[in-house]
């Protein structure tokens, strides 16, 4: 059977990615500089294409949050281009030796980072994602197949043309980065586990869940961000109020914002009226359990509230008898993203940090710190709530894998087997 | 809807695993010693149960390779018990700090290894796998659900009873390690991605492929091991012959044995008759392409041969015009397990080590070295041919994940946002 047009394209990206993988850091960084220059030269075209997309989106009454992500101002485009140069300035993620060990005289094992192969990136609206993802792919030596939302098609195409013009002046094959234009191709792309090594979805929870449920290719991302803040009996109440406000209101749509506040019974009477006043002043709707409602007038929370990621200025509040009850609640309802405790009790903090099973476990600080840039990764490829690594905010390290290189001088296993087996030395060497 | 009996059991293991995860290395190692002692005390019962399984297997005419794996001699049992103590002696995989960074004064980020949660282990025959897997699970702080083959049910049960007796004398909850007895439970287990974090299959290629195709839980393992040895124009022929023999005949059923020998045209005339004589003397059946058949009388290989993992004393041979053709053949037919080159040409070796995309890329040594024990990991949980880490032979490191712990003193994100944002320090600290 002949390959479909998509399979042909994906195979071509796969082939070109093999070439890209052989280039050194200088060649990949030079390509990023060429891309940045080409994008600068194409600013007019890109902004015009985006204006056309925006006009169409208005006519189609696109929802406001998607529209906000679609619109590309000159400053947003300039920031995206600056981002390309920032990625170029990051340390090379490839060729890093993670292990260096003599197995026996003259038989040396190394574990060295290398590219994954081909990334499949599917996103809604946000044409600047094309710039960011293409940069991260080039930096990490990976090919990439990108599929943006239909509403951003003109913008994405103008950006991709500029990227290709830049790559043509570099050693990186332009064919290693490709843009898909037809929505139907997503379904087919998700089946191509032979050629695509990682899927990165960028969009709403429903969108990510759809991708996760419809592919056997590993998916880097998370569908849910149901984070809790637990205010312990030994909490400093001023810190607790500041952290609650930050974690709920600083950017309520973020996945690392909190949805539920757990409050130790012993301090509830003092703490809840104060925090409720501050939250209500910030426009937050409160939904409490029986005790919370008794202490502060608020809507009664239903069972569904404990399992809901509001992505909005709404907070559910539960009063718990002790730390164990807080841990149990988090184990039941948490999504494994980020969980925080406020306490001055070192033992309680230590138990929380050890026993909560989440990508991020925080003490006396806001859950909103869970972010690749804030962690100092220089880039964020995604945040993963999977148990297996990479977990939590993922930088360039999430786009590379490793291989074992073993170099000998005619060594065979028979020497190290059987009754008179020679022992291995297993001596770690300098890195 | 009420939980099924299996879901109830798996939830119970999940709960007990939460307790196990809080224990320190001394408590987990003590439990392993108790398990080793209990297994020693139960030697008679275990061997008797195994004898009954073997008798039944003979009556059922179980195939010889499964029978060999089923049969538990006193020395095989003693080796399994020694293995428990070896696992206890390994460095603790938990609580390892992989990153330690100040984000700002008093705001400290750590990345620390922690257990995955619950392992699901499904294996054929091999009752000693129960001992090994239970030890690795306890060491790594994970709960485990084990399902052995029906043919080994009495042996597995006797071993599990001894393990539980040992655990009851320790701080590790016996309920964290459970044995399933009914075959139908496998299908259900594979659906429980909410409670089971990693599936480890142990068995034939078909068995592993079945598991991989029937679960959304991550699977640690590989279905295929199609490895190549490429003998370059600049090969030392003595080394090439020794390595070919070792890689094919030292243990032909192993996944890291070679299936195809690629030979540079320039040396084929000298090398092929010599290596063919040595291989045939070792009982290896040869299947060659046109040129190989022209140089040495042998069966003509079909297209299917290049894609076949024989797991037997059969080797396909192809003569290639250059290194590029060898790289292309490996890219097309390799399973990403282990690939090797024999050459004295440093540039050819460097290209091979960089460009071949496989978990192991070897120079002048046998593919048979691809093994967790030979790599010095102290234990091998499996070998993965997935692109994403963990890749290749996986030790205890494959049974742990990590979490980010962030400790502040009332820090909020608002401080680091907006027009007058405070910059992060992002200063790496001593480990």
């Amino acid at each position: 059977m002949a390959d479909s047009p998509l399979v042909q394209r994906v195979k071509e990206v796969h082939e070109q990615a093999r070439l890209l993988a052989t280039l050194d850091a200088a060649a990949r960084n030079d390509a990023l500089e060429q891309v940045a220059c080409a994008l600068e030269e194409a600013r007019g075209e890109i902004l015009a294409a985006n204006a056309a997309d925006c006009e169409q989106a208005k006519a189609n009454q696109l929802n406001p949050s998607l529209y906000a992500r679609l619109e590309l101002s000159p400053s947003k485009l300039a920031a995206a281009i600056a981002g390309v140069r920032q990625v170029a300035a990051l340390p090379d993620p490839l060729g890093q030796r993670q292990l260096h060990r003599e197995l026996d005289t003259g038989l040396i094992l190394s574990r060295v980072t290398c590219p994954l192969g081909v990334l499949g990136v599917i996103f809604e609206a946000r044409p600047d994602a094309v710039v960011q993802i293409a940069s991260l792919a080039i930096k990490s030596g990976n090919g990439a197949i990108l599929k943006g939302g239909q509403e951003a098609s003109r913008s994405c195409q103008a950006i991709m043309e500029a990227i290709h013009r830049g790559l043509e002046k570099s050693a990186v094959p332009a064919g290693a980065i490709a843009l898909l234009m037809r929505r139907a191709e997503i379904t087919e792309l998700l089946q191509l586990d032979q050629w695509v090594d990682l899927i990165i979805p960028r969009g709403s929870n429903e969108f990510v869940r759809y991708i996760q449920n419809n592919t056997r290719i590993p998916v880097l991302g998370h569908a849910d961000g149901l984070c809790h803040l637990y205010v312990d009996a030994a909490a400093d109440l001023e810190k607790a109020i500041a952290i609650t406000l930050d974690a709920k209101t600083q950017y309520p749509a973020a996945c690392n914002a909190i949805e539920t506040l757990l409050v130790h019974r012993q301090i509830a009477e003092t703490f809840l009226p104060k925090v409720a006043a501050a939250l209500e002043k910030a426009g937050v709707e409160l939904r409490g359990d029986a005790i919370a409602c008794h202490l502060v007038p608020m809507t009664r929370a239903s069972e569904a509230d404990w399992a809901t990621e509001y992505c909005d200025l709404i907070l559910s509040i539960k009063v718990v008898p002790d730390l164990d009850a807080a841990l149990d609640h988090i184990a039941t309802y948490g999504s494994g993203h980020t969980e925080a405790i406020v306490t001055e009790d070192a033992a309680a903090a230590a138990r929380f940090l050890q026993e909560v099973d989440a990508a991020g476990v925080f003490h006396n600080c806001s859950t909103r710190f869970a972010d690749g840039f804030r962690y100092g990764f220089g880039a964020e490829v995604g945040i993963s709530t999977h148990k297996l690594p990479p977990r939590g905010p993922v930088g360039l390290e999430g786009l590379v894998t490793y291989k074992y290189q073993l170099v000998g001088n005619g060594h065979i296993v028979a020497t190290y087997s059987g009754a008179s087996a020679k022992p291995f030395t297993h001596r770690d060497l300098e890195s």
Side-chain angles (χ1 to χ4, degrees), chain A:
Chain A
M1 207 181 73
D3 288 339
S4 75
L6 180 66
V7 170
Q8 286 175 33
R9 291 198 69 189
V10 171
K11 278 186 173 178
E12 174 65 17
V13 169
H14 188 268
E15 272 308 295
Q16 300 299 320
R18 278 179 66 192
L19 292 179
L20 168 51
T22 66
L23 299 178
D24 65 14
R28 284 178 274 117
N29 289 337
D30 169 67
L32 289 172
E33 179 56 31
Q34 297 297 343
V35 164
C37 292
L39 286 166
E40 275 166 347
E41 281 166 25
R43 260 186 296 211
E45 288 159 59
I46 294 169
L47 291 173
N50 186 251
D53 279 338
C54 287
E55 204 169 313
Q56 174 94 59
K58 269 186 200 152
N60 294 346
Q61 298 182 296
L62 192 71
N63 85 53
S65 76
L66 270 182
Y67 186 89
R69 287 188 277 160
L70 170 62
E71 198 172 25
L72 210 52
S73 63
S75 69
K76 214 161 142 186
L77 180 57
I81 297 172
V84 177
R85 296 197 165 101
Q86 282 157 16
V87 168
L90 290 174
D92 188 10
L94 302 179
Q96 302 296 317
R97 190 157 60 191
Q98 300 176 323
L99 181 149
H100 194 205
R101 181 175 293 165
E102 181 196 85
L103 304 190
D104 190 13
T105 310
L107 185 63
I108 309 296
L109 181 70
S110 307
R111 183 166 116 174
V112 179
T113 59
C114 58
L116 279 173
V118 175
L119 315 176
V121 189
I122 308 172
F123 49 96
E124 297 181 310
R126 285 199 55 196
D128 46 330
V130 176
V131 178
Q132 194 213 6
I133 297 289
S135 311
L136 293 168
I138 293 164
K139 180 78 183 185
S140 59
N142 288 294
I145 316 261
L146 295 94
K147 173 69 184 77
Q150 217 55 45
E151 61 287 347
S153 59
R154 294 177 192 85
S155 320
C156 291
Q157 216 159 354
I159 290 170
M160 188 54 78
E161 280 165 15
I163 290 173
H164 281 161
R165 279 198 297 275
L167 292 181
E168 272 149 23
K169 293 184 185 158
S170 82
V172 170
I177 310 288
L179 182 69
L180 303 183
M181 295 307 297
R182 297 190 310 110
R183 195 188 186 88
E185 290 172 321
I186 296 181
T187 318
E188 196 183 344
L189 179 67
L190 293 178
Q191 307 309 314
L192 303 181
D193 52 326
Q194 199 185 346
W195 310 106
V196 180
D197 300 293
L198 183 69
I199 294 284
I200 306 176
R202 294 277 173 100
S204 65
N205 292 358
E206 294 70 38
F207 176 76
V208 175
R209 199 171 294 116
Y210 170 81
I211 302 283
Q212 285 174 334
N213 290 339
N214 285 280
T215 187
R216 297 180 48 77
I217 304 171
V219 176
L220 176 63
H222 62 283
D224 301 295
L226 209 159
C227 307
H228 300 81
L229 179 69
Y230 166 58
V231 179
D232 186 47
D236 173 319
L237 298 193
E238 291 310 308
K239 287 180 198 167
I241 291 168
I243 291 171
T244 306
L245 272 177
D246 191 78
K248 181 71 247 181
T249 70
Q250 205 262 340
Y251 185 15
C255 55
N256 55 16
I258 58 168
E259 312 301 336
T260 301
L261 182 68
L262 301 168
V263 179
H264 193 290
R265 191 160 53 194
Q266 219 167 288
I267 52 142
E269 209 168 330
T270 327
F271 176 63
L272 268 186
K274 286 184 190 171
V275 77
L279 286 163
E280 282 170 349
K281 202 174 149 197
V284 180
E285 178 194 333
L286 304 179
R287 301 184 186 173
D289 70 350
I291 306 182
C293 289
H294 175 74
L295 294 172
V296 175
M298 62 177 83
T299 311
R300 185 68 192 271
S302 70
E303 173 64 25
D305 278 295
W306 314 124
T308 300
E309 185 181 358
Y310 303 113
C311 294
D312 204 348
L313 286 173
I314 305 172
L315 182 68
S316 57
I317 301 181
K318 187 176 191 177
V319 176
V320 292
D322 53 25
L323 174 59
D324 286 295
L327 294 173
D328 285 342
H329 183 94
I330 291 170
T332 306
Y333 296 102
S335 62
H337 192 298
T338 304
E339 307 290 352
I341 183 174
V342 182
T343 188
E344 301 300 308
D345 174 351
R351 273 198 66 197
F352 190 91
L353 294 187
Q354 204 207 353
E355 296 185 27
V356 171
D357 183 18
V361 283
F362 289 12
H363 174 210
N364 282 350
C365 56
S366 169
T367 52
R368 293 271 301 119
F369 283 106
D371 172 284
F373 290 96
R374 292 181 190 132
Y375 281 5
F377 296 165
E380 183 176 276
V381 173
I383 296 185
S384 172
T385 53
H386 291 172
K387 283 283 189 82
L388 293 181
R391 194 183 196 198
V394 180
L396 274 175
E397 143 186 62
L399 300 185
V400 305
T401 183
Y402 53 73
K403 55 170 113 170
Y404 288 95
Q405 299 178 335
L406 184 65
V407 176
N409 186 26
H411 291 71
I412 59 174
V413 161
T415 311
Y416 307 89
S417 311
S420 57
K422 190 177 182 200
F424 288 104
T425 57
H426 287 155
R427 188 167 63 88
D428 281 329
L429 305 173
E430 297 287 313
S431 291

